[in-house]
Amino acid sequence: MEGQQQSLTITTNYPPAPLSPNPQDDRDKIRQNKDDENLWIQRHDIEKTLHGALGHLKTCCTILNLSAKCDERLKIDFSHGTTEKYQLMSRTGSSDNLKASVTLLDDNVIQAEVTVKYPKAGGGYYRAVAQPDVQWKLQQLQDLGNHIARVTIMLCDLQEELQFLRGNGDGGTDSFSLSTGKRILDELKVTMNEISLARNSIMLPRKRSLLELCYFPPTRKFVPPLPQDQLISFYISCCRLVCASYQMVPKTVHPQGLSVFMAESQLPHLDEVIKHLNIVMTILQKLINYLSATM
């Protein structure tokens, strides 16, 4: 038909628009995955890590003769310490300025012999021996042993707590939860701090002040007695036994009015202890990181 207009209607059926993702659903899923991972770590990783850490600590206790101090659950055989004699020499300057010989029994100085350059003495050297009738402990070694002993108690307690949480262990329901994971994490952090204190006790020098040395009973037991302007000190620094001689001199000789000589000797057994403590810190820190990431 001429002149007649035709209309064409086009209809298109589109599928319904997808729903927008719900951010809360994603957060819930992430949270659930973390919770599951946290529980898995508690059930499978912690006990294995503690067993390894206690093995290294047991070695430290054996080296340091700490059977009487460490946790009895480690079942370390009782042993008596043996005396070890060390020759201390200067690493810098003239080796004749100071020489010392020290006999140790665990953390006790049994005997000390010193030869120090001292112009006022006959022959230019002061020589003396100390066999004190008073206790002469190296406080840093005592602190090292005390910290390690406390760590063994902490980890044995934690190991016992894990066994309780695990229950009967025959596949039944255990008592692990997010709250137990948080508590274990806190205990591990406290333990790490204690290990750090143990390590620092012998890695960082801890010197007595000159005033403390004046009134320190053992150093007053040298025969012949120390001159009034002379003091002797023993301490641990970076696993080395150090002897330091302090002599008051005119400021025309030294600006500070004090001449200091030092001699030292490496203590191999402390190097071994530090190696094991480093391993313990590494494996515990790894566990702490895993637990922290799932909290």
Side-chain angles (χ1 to χ4, degrees), residues 57-59 61-62 66-67 70-72 74-78:
L57 290 171
K58 187 173 181 178
T59 301
C61 293
T62 302
L66 299 178
S67 56
C70 66
D71 198 293
E72 59 184 12
L74 287 182
K75 298 179 180 179
I76 298 177
D77 294 334
F78 181 78

Side-chain angles (χ1 to χ4, degrees), residues 19-280:
L19 297 175
S20 300
N22 188 342
Q24 185 61 45
D25 291 341
D26 292 340
R27 287 193 292 267
D28 290 344
K29 186 176 180 180
I30 293 172
R31 180 68 263 171
Q32 185 60 52
N33 289 340
K34 284 189 174 184
D35 293 348
D36 293 342
E37 187 176 358
N38 184 282
L39 294 174
W40 192 94
I41 292 171
Q42 292 186 64
R43 293 184 177 115
H44 299 91
D45 274 2
I46 298 179
E47 188 169 4
K48 181 173 62 176
T49 300
L50 294 185
H51 180 76
L54 284 169
H56 289 285
L57 290 171
K58 187 173 181 178
T59 301
C60 292
C61 293
T62 302
I63 293 172
L64 298 171
N65 296 307
L66 299 178
S67 56
K69 285 185 176 182
C70 66
D71 198 293
E72 59 184 12
R73 287 168 286 189
L74 287 182
K75 298 179 180 179
I76 298 177
D77 294 334
F78 181 78
S79 62
H80 294 283
T82 58
T83 57
E84 296 285 346
K85 191 170 185 178
Y86 299 94
Q87 301 295 331
L88 285 64
M89 303 291 293
S90 174
R91 286 200 307 169
T92 58
S94 173
S95 60
D96 294 333
N97 287 336
L98 174 63
K99 295 180 181 179
S101 173
V102 179
T103 302
L104 295 182
L105 175 60
D106 296 333
D107 54 12
N108 292 284
V109 176
I110 303 301
Q111 184 186 63
E113 304 173 33
V114 296
T115 300
V116 59
K117 189 174 182 180
Y118 186 66
K120 297 179 184 179
Y125 287 91
Y126 165 76
R127 297 178 176 86
V129 177
Q131 288 179 301
D133 54 1
V134 295
Q135 196 174 56
W136 191 353
K137 284 189 174 294
L138 290 175
Q139 186 62 46
Q140 290 166 273
L141 294 183
Q142 190 175 33
D143 290 345
L144 171 67
N146 290 339
H147 287 306
I148 290 177
R150 279 195 284 270
V151 172
T152 64
I153 295 171
M154 291 176 180
L155 292 187
C156 283
D157 284 345
L158 186 53
Q159 199 173 49
E160 203 167 86
E161 181 181 353
L162 281 175
Q163 293 173 357
F164 173 78
L165 292 172
R166 193 174 298 282
N168 54 26
D170 59 359
T173 303
D174 56 44
S175 302
F176 292 113
S177 65
L178 296 182
S179 62
T180 62
K182 176 66 167 60
R183 186 170 69 250
I184 291 171
L185 177 59
D186 291 341
E187 292 172 4
L188 288 172
K189 289 179 178 178
V190 173
T191 303
M192 278 288 286
N193 181 65
E194 196 71 28
I195 298 173
S196 180
L197 292 173
R199 191 178 180 282
N200 289 341
S201 66
I202 56 174
M203 293 303 292
L204 303 177
R206 193 180 306 166
K207 307 174 186 177
R208 286 184 170 91
S209 68
L210 296 182
L211 183 60
E212 288 173 325
L213 288 174
C214 285
Y215 295 99
F216 186 52
T219 55
R220 297 163 68 184
K221 298 292 182 176
F222 278 101
V223 179
L226 287 170
Q228 291 185 347
D229 59 353
Q230 181 82 39
L231 290 170
I232 299 290
S233 174
F234 293 96
Y235 58 90
I236 304 295
S237 176
C238 297
C239 301
R240 296 190 298 268
L241 175 61
V242 180
C243 175
S245 164
Y246 306 94
Q247 181 184 342
M248 304 299 294
V249 296
K251 291 195 174 182
T252 54
V253 177
H254 196 283
Q256 295 182 345
L258 190 68
S259 178
V260 182
F261 300 136
M262 298 175 67
E264 61 184 44
S265 174
Q266 196 73 22
L267 300 180
H269 68 291
L270 293 187
D271 286 326
E272 190 71 13
V273 169
I274 286 295
K275 182 184 76 173
H276 286 284
L277 290 181
N278 286 343
I279 294 173
V280 173

